[in-house]
Amino acid sequence: MSDFLTWVGGLPPLAQIPIVVIAFGIVVALILFFVEIAPRTGRRYTIIRLAVCVIAPFLAFVLIGSVWWAALIAAAFGLLFFWLDRRSSQGAGYLFQLFGFLAPAIILLLVGLIYPTVKTFIDSFFSSRGNFVGIDNFAWVLTSPQNLRVILNTIIWVLVVPTLSTVFGLAYAVFIDKSRGEKFFKILVFMPMAISFVGASIIWRFVYTYRPDDQNQIGLLNQVVVWLGGQPVQWLQESPWNTFFLIVVLIWIQTGFAMVVLSAAIKGVPTEQLEAAELDGTNAWQRFINVTVPGIRSSLIVVITTISIASLKVFDIVRTMTAGANDTSVLANEMYTQFKNFEYGRSAAFAVILFILVMPIVIYNARQIKKQREIR
């Protein structure tokens, strides 16, 4: 594999694209073969499996150059398809399909989630030199004034972003509901969701850009201030307000997500309930509070918890706009900073704390979804 990647990397860029696409297509074709074609019964599929048992060892011999490896691969394929044909004749091909579908997900979970989680938890009890230090890393995180500021900033993000994003998204969804240009209005607010966090951060960094008052302003916000007769402000350097200016970026992005989810939930509220409330003499605000909000409660929980998790692990915005300077750092950014400084134990401690903070939100969200399923 490394030789193949090295060979591809030495080709011209325009030649790399089709080769990577073809390689990806071959991998997908193999997965489809083992999941769809291999478990089927019949003479035609038996012949296909026989051909694979011949072609696979031949390719192994050509690529690896070892007869023993080719023999082992031939034996493995032979045993696999023999067992498959026998199980399929007994009507048990479904088990092979189930394993084929679940195995990639299970392997990815083990390699990409479970193993790193356990490894990070273990590393949090060691120093950068590999010495066991117990809970010293956690004590350093929870006692250092600078780290306490980082934790406070993260809490501010979690409190402000979900609240304002949900309020703005819900208000917008209600106001444009069933309007003539509803689709167009939704596209306008949802567009920031299509931009990466780094791209959005660069856009807003230009908005906040500061130049001395004797120079032409290239930042939109400072240019407006100058037009109004004021002096340009260093928006990203004045603590603690610079944290809130960073928060605006995530609110700008997440409001579109909240609007789309809540708009769909509002359309699912039974019209009969709204009409009955109107006949009882309630005004629009009373119908919204007493009928619409209870009807979209499950969607509100999903939106708030999802945005809360995004706020807890926010990294791109802070790293791109300030790199954590001027008291704007958050847990994820500090975790990266410590890792870059080769303080792996302290970095792991930040990661564990972040994991502990995220878990209650995830568990609560899962329990609410379970309750909704039981009601249905």
Side-chain angles (χ1 to χ4, degrees):
M1 178 60 72
S2 60
D3 294 337
F4 172 74
L5 295 177
T6 303
W7 175 72
V8 172
L11 297 175
L14 293 179
Q16 294 179 14
I17 297 175
I19 293 176
V20 172
V21 172
I22 292 172
F24 179 76
I26 293 173
V27 173
V28 172
L30 289 174
I31 295 175
L32 291 176
F33 171 78
F34 283 109
V35 173
E36 290 292 334
I37 298 177
R40 297 182 183 180
T41 59
R43 179 178 298 177
R44 180 173 60 176
Y45 297 108
T46 302
I47 295 173
I48 293 175
R49 290 192 285 269
L50 179 62
V52 172
C53 288
V54 175
I55 295 173
F58 175 75
L59 292 176
F61 175 74
V62 172
L63 297 175
I64 302 176
S66 173
V67 176
W68 292 107
W69 274 108
L72 288 174
I73 292 174
F77 273 105
L79 291 173
L80 175 63
F81 289 130
F82 173 78
W83 173 82
L84 180 61
D85 281 331
R86 185 174 180 182
R87 298 291 292 178
S88 297
S89 63
Q90 299 174 0
Y94 168 76
L95 294 177
F96 185 83
Q97 289 181 329
L98 182 63
F99 175 79
F101 277 114
L102 292 180
I106 294 174
I107 293 173
L108 288 176
L109 283 175
L110 289 174
V111 176
L113 182 61
I114 297 178
Y115 171 75
T117 301
V118 176
K119 182 70 166 54
T120 301
F121 183 76
I122 295 174
D123 289 345
S124 65
F125 296 101
F126 289 84
S127 67
S128 58
R129 296 183 177 181
N131 300 321
F132 181 78
V133 295
I135 61 172
D136 289 353
N137 291 326
F138 294 97
W140 174 79
V141 171
L142 298 176
T143 56
S144 171
Q146 180 181 356
N147 294 332
L148 292 178
R149 179 66 189 183
V150 169
I151 296 174
L152 178 61
N153 286 342
T154 305
I155 294 174
I156 293 174
W157 278 79
V158 175
L159 293 178
V160 176
V161 175
T163 302
L164 294 184
S165 297
T166 305
V167 169
F168 293 154
L170 178 59
Y172 196 82
V174 171
F175 290 146
I176 68 171
D177 186 43
K178 298 178 182 178
S179 63
R180 178 175 297 180
E182 180 178 358
K183 294 182 179 179
F184 175 74
F185 297 142
K186 284 184 177 179
I187 291 174
L188 288 179
V189 177
F190 191 75
M191 280 180 64
M193 283 292 296
I195 306 174
S196 68
F197 281 9
V198 174
S201 301
I202 293 174
I203 292 172
W204 280 88
R205 189 171 182 176
F206 279 113
V207 173
Y208 293 140
T209 297
Y210 165 82
R211 290 288 184 275
D213 54 0
D214 58 342
Q215 299 180 15
N216 293 328
Q217 299 298 320
I218 63 173
L220 176 62
L221 198 54
N222 272 322
Q223 184 61 63
V224 173
V225 171
V226 171
W227 283 341
L228 295 177
Q231 296 294 321
V233 180
Q234 300 184 25
W235 304 100
L236 299 180
Q237 297 183 19
E238 297 186 2
S239 179
W241 301 110
N242 48 7
T243 296
F244 292 94
F245 294 135
L246 298 182
I247 286 175
V248 170
V249 182
L250 189 56
I251 294 175
W252 180 65
I253 296 172
Q254 295 294 338
T255 297
F257 165 74
M259 180 270 300
V260 169
V261 175
L262 296 178
S263 177
I266 289 172
K267 294 184 182 302
V269 176
T271 308
E272 295 80 5
Q273 295 182 7
L274 295 172
E275 293 176 349
E278 187 176 1
L279 291 175
D280 289 339
T282 59
N283 55 36
W285 175 251
Q286 292 172 331
R287 291 194 298 273
F288 173 73
I289 294 296
N290 298 315
V291 180
T292 303
V293 172
I296 64 173
R297 182 177 179 273
S298 60
S299 298
L300 280 171
I301 292 174
V302 171
V303 168
I304 292 174
T305 53
T306 302
I307 299 178
S308 297
I309 294 173
S311 304
L312 269 173
K313 61 181 184 179
V314 65
F315 168 77
D316 313 65
I317 295 174
V318 176
R319 196 71 195 178
T320 303
M321 298 185 70
T322 64
N326 302 309
D327 295 330
T328 58
S329 187
V330 290
L331 283 173
N333 180 72
E334 198 63 28
M335 176 183 67
Y336 172 78
T337 301
Q338 295 299 324
F339 183 83
K340 192 176 67 171
N341 294 335
F342 302 102
E343 293 288 348
Y344 303 124
R346 293 179 175 181
S347 175
F350 275 110
V352 171
I353 293 174
L354 187 59
F355 178 78
I356 293 173
L357 293 176
V358 169
M359 281 307 297
I361 301 176
V362 175
I363 294 173
Y364 176 77
N365 197 6
R367 292 184 62 182
Q368 292 300 317
I369 293 175
K370 183 178 179 181
K371 288 181 180 180
Q372 291 299 321
R373 289 179 178 176
E374 292 175 353
I375 294 173
R376 295 175 184 174

